[in-house]
Amino acid sequence: MHGLNQDLPLLLSTVLEHGATTFGAVKVIGRYGNDCIDFDYAQLALRARRLAAALQHLGFGSDHMVGSLAWNTHRHLELLYAATGIGAVLHTANPRLPPAQIAYAINFAGYHTLFIDADTLALAEQLAPQLQTVRRYVMMAPPGAVPHSTLPELLFHEDLLADGDPGFTWPLLDERAACLLCFTSGTTGAPKGALYSHHGTVLNALSAGGGNAWALSADDAIIAIPGFFHCNGWAVPFFGPMYGASLVLPGRRADSAFLHRLILDHGVTVAPGVPTIFLDLLRHCRETGAGLGRLNRLFSGGAAPPLAMMEAYLRDHSVRTIHGWGMTETTSAATMSFALRDLPPDQALTAMRTQGKPVFGAEIRIADDDGNPLPRDGVTPGHLQARGHWTAAGYFRRPEIEAMTPDGWLRTGDVAKIDADNTLHIVDRSKDVIKSGGEWISSQALEEAASAHPAVREAAVIAMPHWRWQERPLLIVVVTAPVTRQDLLVHLAHMVPKWWLPDAVAFVDELPHGPTGKIAKQELRQWQTDGRLGLDP
C-alpha cells in the first residue's frame, strides 16, 4: 500500500522558486570588477527563467551539456539554475587548474558551448585551440564589456536574457536526472568527473544546511568564497534560496582586506573556505585591530584547520569554526563538527577539531586493507568508505575505475578513525600517510602539531625514504620568526609519540598550494626528489 502524499520531484528549479516566492526580497549582492550588483531572489528567478528560455531556443534541453569557466558572479549563479532547470547538465570547469587539465575535462565532457566571464576571457582564448568540441562562447557580461576577442561565435549573456521569455515555465523533470558535473583536481592522475543528480543535490543542501551542520536561516548572510566549480560552491548557491539567507558574491577576489570589507558591509554571518583564507583574514584583523561584525561561524574544508586558528577566532571574535569532511564525490559535506553555542571553550574546541558526525543521508565506515569492516572504537585506523543519497556510485564515463566496494560503498582514499558515537577523525589521505616500520604516522596530525608553534605560519609533512624503516617524516615549514630544528622537535615531543618525530626539517619561504587551496604535496615530493629542499637533519 502506498501513502497518499503528493509525489513531487526534487529539482533545483524548485529551490530557486521557493526562494523567489518565500524570500523574494532577500538580497543577492555581487562585488567584483566594475560590477556592484544588488538584487534579490525574485529578480534572480526571473533572470534565470529568461536565460533558460534562451538556452532552449539555442537547442539545449534534456541530455545536453553546457560548460562554464567562471568565478562566483550573479550571472554564473543564474546559469546554474537556468541550465539545470531545463534538464541540461552544467559542467563547472575550474579556472584555477593547470590549462592542460581544464582542456582535458572540457574535451572529455565534449560539449559545444562554454560560458565565460571577463576574468576568464584570456584563459579561454589560450585554451580555445585545444578545445576539440567547443564552437560557441557566451560572455557573462553586458554587450560592449569586451571590445575585442579572438573567440569564435561569441554571444553575450545579457543579449540572451533580453530575448528570453519572462513567462517561461520550468519543465517537470525526473529528479534522478543529471544536473551538474564536477571534476576532481587531478593531483594523482587525470581529473575524474562526479555527475550529480537533482535528487542528490537537493537532499545534500537540505541536510547540510540543517541544524547540526550549517544551521542556516533567513537571519544569515553567506559569503560565497568557494568557487562554484568546487563541489558547486559547497552547496552555497542552493543554501541561499532554500533557507532564505542572503548571498554575497565576491567574484574571483579572495584577499583579506576585500573579504573583510564585504563581511562588515553586508552583515555576513557565515563564511565557508579553506584554512589559508581564514589564517590570512585573522592576520588582517590582528594587524588592523578590526573586528568581524556579525560573522559568527566559519566552515572550514579542504584541509584540517590549525588549532591555534580556531582558538584565536573563538577567543578574539566569538567565531566558531565548523570543520567538516566531504569531497567532490560526496557532492559537498558528508560530516560536520557542529559545536553547541553554550559549550565551554575547551569542549567546543575539542568538538571543532574532529570532522564531526554524518549529516542525515550520509553514512561512513572504515575497513582494513582486505576490505573487512573495522570497529568504531576511536583507536583503530582504516580506509574510509562512504555511501548515501548524494555520494557518487562511479565516475563519469570511467567504468574501468573500481570506485565501489562489492557491497556498494565508495572508497574515498582517506584513512580515518571513527568513535563509538560515529564521530569521524581523518588521519590522513591514503597517499600521504607515512608507513614507518609497518606502523602508520599521520602527516596531518604532525602538521597540526607543528602549526601550533607560535613561529610556524604553515607546515607540511611528507615521507622521505629510509633504509631501515622504509619511510620517515620530513617536516617542511614556513616561519614568521627565527626558530631552529631543535626548537621544533622539543615542541613536537610534547604533542606526538617520540617515534613520530621528523627525521629532518626543511625551512622554505612559501608552500605550494593546489587549485582548491590544499598544500600541493606532489610538488613538495618533486622538490625533495630534485634536491630543492635544504634539509636540517
Side-chain angles (χ1 to χ4, degrees):
M1 179 183 296
H2 287 210
L4 294 177
N5 299 109
Q6 298 178 20
D7 188 13
L8 301 174
L10 298 172
L11 302 174
L12 290 179
S13 58
T14 65
V15 174
L16 178 60
E17 292 303 325
H18 171 73
T21 55
T22 309
F23 305 108
V26 173
K27 291 293 185 181
V28 177
I29 299 158
R31 294 290 182 268
Y32 31 82
N34 295 322
D35 283 333
C36 295
I37 304 299
D38 286 37
F39 70 140
D40 55 37
Y41 286 129
Q43 292 168 299
L44 171 65
L46 175 61
R47 286 173 60 89
R49 286 193 296 269
R50 297 184 76 134
L51 180 58
L55 288 175
Q56 275 195 342
H57 183 72
L58 288 174
F60 289 97
S62 295
D63 297 326
H64 289 85
M65 188 175 289
V66 63
S68 66
L69 184 68
W71 302 94
N72 290 6
T73 69
H74 69 290
R75 295 183 179 95
H76 200 182
L77 182 63
E78 292 160 8
L79 179 63
L80 278 174
Y81 284 106
T84 60
I86 60 173
V89 175
L90 176 64
H91 165 225
T92 49
N94 184 348
R96 287 200 179 103
L97 289 176
Q101 286 192 18
I102 301 173
Y104 170 86
I106 293 174
N107 290 334
F108 191 85
Y111 47 78
H112 302 287
T113 300
L114 180 64
F115 280 70
I116 62 174
D117 62 27
D119 284 326
T120 60
L121 173 61
L123 177 58
E125 290 177 334
Q126 175 189 348
L127 289 170
Q130 306 171 50
L131 302 184
Q132 299 163 2
T133 60
V134 175
R135 300 290 179 266
R136 178 197 294 133
Y137 295 82
V138 181
M139 172 62 64
M140 290 191 279
V146 181
H148 174 72
S149 174
T150 60
L151 294 175
E153 198 176 333
L154 182 62
L155 305 179
F156 285 87
H157 187 101
E158 294 299 325
D159 287 341
L160 294 181
L161 259 71
D163 293 337
D165 179 7
F168 173 83
T169 300
W170 298 109
L172 199 62
L173 306 171
D174 184 340
E175 67 177 24
R176 296 167 297 178
C179 59
L180 296 156
L181 175 65
C182 279
F183 280 79
T184 63
S185 57
T187 54
T188 57
K192 301 184 293 291
L195 187 61
Y196 307 142
S197 70
H198 285 267
H199 171 92
T201 306
V202 172
L203 284 180
N204 174 257
L206 188 64
S207 188
N212 288 333
W214 288 60
L216 295 169
S217 74
D219 188 47
D220 283 311
I222 312 170
I223 184 166
I225 299 174
F228 292 166
F229 41 81
H230 290 318
C231 304
N232 297 125
W234 298 8
V236 167
F238 318 123
F239 284 153
M242 181 179 283
Y243 287 96
S246 64
L247 292 180
V248 180
L249 309 175
R252 69 174 299 172
R253 288 187 64 180
D255 57 280
S256 298
F258 176 68
L259 294 180
H260 183 258
R261 177 48 52 197
L262 292 184
I263 289 169
L264 296 187
D265 286 353
H266 303 294
V268 169
T269 60
V270 184
V274 296
T276 305
I277 294 286
F278 298 137
L279 285 167
D280 289 344
L281 179 62
L282 185 63
R283 187 179 307 109
H284 174 80
C285 290
R286 285 171 172 165
E287 292 173 352
T288 61
L292 287 168
R294 295 183 67 224
L295 186 70
N296 58 67
R297 57 204 190 275
L298 309 176
F299 287 87
S300 180
L307 176 61
M309 182 199 90
M310 295 189 288
E311 286 178 330
Y313 271 108
L314 190 61
R315 179 187 66 243
D316 299 339
H317 301 284
S318 299
V319 172
R320 293 174 297 146
T321 302
I322 299 176
H323 185 199
W325 173 82
M327 53 198 304
T328 305
E329 294 89 338
T330 64
T331 303
S332 64
T335 70
M336 284 286 183
S337 64
F338 191 82
L340 299 175
R341 290 180 178 84
D342 57 354
L343 282 178
D346 57 338
Q347 294 182 34
L349 286 166
T350 298
M352 291 177 196
R353 294 181 70 181
T354 75
Q355 282 70 45
K357 299 182 179 184
V359 296
F360 176 76
E363 298 178 66
I364 56 172
R365 73 178 186 185
I366 52 174
D368 63 19
D369 290 343
D370 297 321
N372 301 307
L374 293 171
R376 289 176 166 83
D377 59 10
V379 176
T380 307
H383 299 286
L384 180 62
Q385 299 172 356
R387 72 177 181 183
H389 296 289
W390 50 82
T391 301
Y395 291 105
F396 178 61
R397 295 176 182 166
R398 297 289 301 276
E400 76 280 5
I401 299 178
E402 296 182 0
M404 307 297 290
T405 66
D407 59 344
W409 290 71
L410 176 74
R411 299 182 177 98
T412 69
D414 283 320
V415 175
K417 303 174 185 177
I418 302 177
D419 290 340
D421 66 358
N422 220 21
T423 298
L424 177 67
H425 302 262
I426 295 292
V427 174
D428 224 330
R429 289 292 291 169
S430 295
K431 64 179 182 295
D432 294 332
V433 72
I434 298 163
K435 297 179 181 178
S436 182
E439 298 289 342
W440 285 355
I441 297 174
S442 168
S443 67
Q444 180 174 300
L446 265 178
E447 290 160 1
E448 182 177 345
S451 296
H453 191 287
V456 174
R457 177 183 175 187
E458 200 170 20
V461 173
I462 60 174
M464 57 188 301
H466 191 276
W467 66 273
R468 181 180 182 188
W469 303 115
Q470 287 78 54
E471 292 181 342
R472 292 295 299 156
L474 163 61
L475 173 63
I476 308 165
V477 292
V478 178
V479 297
T480 59
V483 65
T484 66
R485 169 187 177 275
Q486 189 59 33
D487 293 335
L488 293 176
L489 294 182
V490 169
H491 164 78
L492 290 171
H494 297 289
M495 305 181 73
V496 301
K498 183 177 180 180
W499 63 278
W500 279 29
L501 292 178
D503 279 22
V505 177
F507 295 88
V508 297
D509 294 332
E510 189 174 2
L511 291 174
H513 291 83
T516 61
K518 298 178 185 178
I519 295 172
K521 292 195 174 181
Q522 190 63 28
E523 190 169 342
L524 288 176
R525 294 183 185 102
Q526 191 60 51
W527 288 8
Q528 180 190 6
T529 300
D530 296 343
R532 295 171 59 189
L533 295 173
L535 303 185
D536 187 359

